[in-house]
Amino acid sequence: MDIHLHDARPTDEERAAVAAVLGSPASAWEGGPRTTGPEMNTATDGRARRERRHLLLPALQALQARVGWVSDGGMRLVCEQLGVPPAEAWAVATFYALLATSPRPRRVVHVCDDIRCRAHGAAELCRQLAHECGPELAHRHDPESPRACWMRSPCLGLCDHGPAALLTEAGDPPIERLLGPVTAESVRALLAGGEVSPDAAARFALPQRGEAGLVLLRRVGVVDPASLEAYVAAGGYRALPRALAMGPEAVIAEVEAAGLVGRGGAAFPTARKWAAVRAQTAAPRHLVCNADESEPGTFKDRVLLTGDPFAVVESMTIAGFAAGCA
């Protein structure tokens, strides 16, 4: 069964949010102004639109960030521009806890109540919030504060700083801040419109920052993670030219000799993964970085992604080269 959005229309704000990701509709077939004549009789860009299917989630995220939820009108616009069935878009939108398909206040405090944060008192924190601020998603509004609500959240990847929270506020530009540890008092302040410093995440420092024996974490907390120049000056992008000079097979052999294994828990040999992909005749081959930090109790990926992101990019480039990915 399909889901139809015949009568839904996007707002100007939603159109602007989608256009920032997908561009403006090129024709009425993509949700643009309806016209008369041959254009309305034949659609010739279906394949090109379907090949942009990977932009579905970014477009939905843009709607969420701009207006606070994904309305039927906004979803219809995304579906039309990408040639995606509404049922497929709905499945994606309802899978993620941070995407809403019904109205929410623009400001939301997502309070983690997963296993690690519960060990730090998240369950009691949520009870306090329910008693003092009202139940989850209860709208608060008074002349002195913006419209806001709180809700429980699955793991936010801040297991070393529980109980953790994520503040989101829709707008242009949107606000998104990870916080931890939080208290009932600090959450109440956020619901009342309190501000959060943009550099609040700087408090999540690596305990062994700068120690001489570090290898994987040697740049974290020491080198500016947003500066490509600083990464190169600290030894970055030296492995990639070596890999290109060695060739794909030699790189895979080197990784096998090093005994590198996956970090997801199964410890599967990395070289076997790369070799298996390279041996496939199907093309194009794709490489994906699984940056979903949602296993309660783990935060290793967050440390690398936020503290040494160019190392992740360089490593992905080497892996893509070795595995023959496009």
Side-chain angles (χ1 to χ4, degrees):
M1 185 178 75
D2 201 352
I3 297 174
H4 300 283
L5 306 170
H6 292 306
D7 299 324
R9 293 290 184 272
T11 65
D12 290 342
E13 194 174 23
E14 289 170 330
R15 288 186 182 278
V18 173
V21 178
L22 304 181
S24 299
S27 68
W29 294 96
E30 294 185 10
R34 296 186 66 83
T35 59
T36 57
E39 181 200 27
M40 290 305 299
N41 298 329
T42 306
T44 60
D45 57 354
R47 178 175 180 179
R49 282 192 289 157
R50 288 192 296 273
E51 288 179 347
R52 299 205 300 164
R53 162 66 176 74
H54 62 284
L55 294 174
L56 173 58
L57 182 55
L60 296 176
Q61 290 173 322
L63 287 169
Q64 180 73 39
R66 184 68 177 267
V67 300
W69 67 296
V70 180
S71 72
D72 287 353
M75 189 178 298
R76 173 181 174 171
L77 179 62
V78 172
C79 291
E80 288 176 338
Q81 285 199 238
L82 294 179
V84 171
E88 186 176 341
W90 178 265
V92 174
T94 54
F95 179 81
Y96 294 98
L98 292 179
L99 294 179
T101 53
S102 58
R104 279 184 189 171
R106 288 193 174 244
R107 172 171 284 216
V108 181
V109 181
H110 306 262
V111 180
C112 177
D113 72 337
D114 225 318
I115 183 169
R116 191 68 185 93
C117 283
R118 280 178 174 263
H120 284 288
E124 177 57 31
L125 171 61
C126 290
R127 280 192 289 269
Q128 282 185 264
L129 293 175
H131 176 71
E132 300 173 12
C133 304
E136 293 181 68
L137 291 179
H139 296 197
R140 297 180 66 254
H141 184 68
D142 62 61
E144 303 300 324
S145 69
R147 196 174 175 97
C149 74
W150 74 278
M151 60 182 293
R152 297 172 187 263
S153 169
C155 183
L156 294 171
L158 286 180
C159 300
D160 50 337
H161 292 277
L166 170 66
L167 169 67
T168 61
E169 184 169 330
D172 183 24
I175 295 173
E176 186 173 294
R177 301 281 186 269
L178 275 170
L179 305 164
V182 295
T183 63
E185 181 180 3
S186 62
V187 173
R188 284 199 307 271
L190 294 173
L191 293 174
E195 298 298 325
V196 179
S197 170
D199 60 354
R203 294 178 295 127
F204 309 139
L206 190 69
Q208 64 271 46
R209 177 175 63 91
E211 289 184 5
L214 293 178
V215 177
L216 185 63
L217 305 177
R218 65 185 181 279
R219 284 183 292 263
V220 176
V222 177
V223 174
D224 179 3
S227 171
L228 177 58
E229 293 76 12
Y231 173 69
V232 173
Y237 278 108
R238 294 181 187 174
L240 178 58
R242 290 180 60 192
L244 296 176
M246 293 168 60
E249 290 79 9
V251 170
I252 293 175
E254 188 76 14
V255 170
E256 183 175 18
L260 185 67
V261 297
R263 294 166 57 82
F268 194 88
T270 302
R272 287 177 59 187
K273 295 181 184 179
W274 294 5
V277 174
R278 185 166 189 81
Q280 296 300 310
T281 56
R285 307 182 191 95
H286 300 275
L287 184 136
V288 177
C289 175
N290 181 3
D292 177 22
E293 194 75 292
S294 60
E295 299 176 12
T298 68
F299 48 90
K300 63 189 185 312
D301 297 333
R302 185 201 84 225
V303 174
L304 290 175
L305 289 164
T306 61
D308 200 10
F310 289 111
V312 178
V313 175
E314 182 178 10
S315 302
M316 291 177 66
T317 308
I318 295 171
F321 169 68
C325 298

